[in-house]
Amino acid sequence: MKIHLAAAVSFVLFASLFSFNEVNAQHAASGKSMPPFRILLTNMKYLNAADLDKSKPAMILYFDPTCDHCIAFIVDMLKHNKEFAKTQVIMISYTPVSEIKKFETEFSLAKYPNIRIGTEGNSFIVQRFYNIQRFPFVALFDKNGIMKASYHEPANVDKI
């Protein structure tokens, strides 16, 4: 009986700890402002959230260059580029800048002035801020930097 009680108490404590962490992650993810990111762009310059144009809406796209869903999303997004032309698209990954550069070249992203692509490296600030577990992750912000929507599952560009 004592063993079962100890196991039950351990389970409840573990579940409580897990639930507490999940609530905090969801609270952070539902925050109204943009995360304080700092990414290394493919031109080897840094971009911070504070550097964004305050007169334009923004979209954060967290991705992995080897992710099939991410690739499909990018292809579809580029087909609809006119609809995103006035939106600052900030593509963030955790992979090395050399991999990001290959991805940028493969999809000719440098020709789109509204798209910036870079890596947050192993800081994982954005990934933790939103509790990102699947790619691509999309967050949409108005021109004041207030989050209007987020998509934790692979999203359809038409839906966005």
Side-chain angles (χ1 to χ4, degrees), residues 40-42 44 65 95-105 118-119:
L40 179 60
L41 301 171
T42 57
M44 303 311 285
T95 58
V97 75
S98 59
E99 290 182 34
I100 303 297
K101 183 68 176 164
K102 288 177 193 173
F103 190 86
E104 178 184 51
T105 301
T119 183

Side-chain angles (χ1 to χ4, degrees), residues 53-58 85-88 141-144:
D53 186 338
K54 308 291 188 264
S55 67
K56 295 181 180 179
K86 294 183 181 179
T87 301
Q88 302 171 89
F141 299 87
D142 67 12
K143 65 181 180 178
N144 298 313

Side-chain angles (χ1 to χ4, degrees), residues 53-127:
D53 186 338
K54 308 291 188 264
S55 67
K56 295 181 180 179
M59 175 172 76
I60 289 180
L61 171 59
Y62 202 92
F63 75 106
D64 181 326
T66 63
C67 160
D68 291 336
H69 293 293
C70 300
I71 292 168
F73 184 88
I74 295 300
V75 168
D76 201 20
M77 184 181 80
L78 294 176
K79 287 179 185 174
H80 293 87
N81 186 55
K82 287 182 183 177
E83 297 165 35
F84 289 101
K86 294 183 181 179
T87 301
Q88 302 171 89
V89 178
I90 313 304
M91 296 179 60
I92 304 174
S93 186
Y94 58 91
T95 58
V97 75
S98 59
E99 290 182 34
I100 303 297
K101 183 68 176 164
K102 288 177 193 173
F103 190 86
E104 178 184 51
T105 301
E106 181 179 347
F107 292 98
S108 302
L109 297 176
K111 73 179 187 180
Y112 300 96
N114 64 315
I115 298 176
R116 297 190 196 146
I117 182 170
T119 183
E120 70 172 345
N122 61 3
S123 72
F124 300 111
I125 290 170
V126 176
Q127 196 174 45

Side-chain angles (χ1 to χ4, degrees), residues 136-155:
F137 167 80
V138 177
L140 303 174
F141 299 87
D142 67 12
K143 65 181 180 178
N144 298 313
I146 305 299
M147 187 170 69
K148 294 300 181 182
S150 64
Y151 303 88
H152 284 270
E153 299 292 327

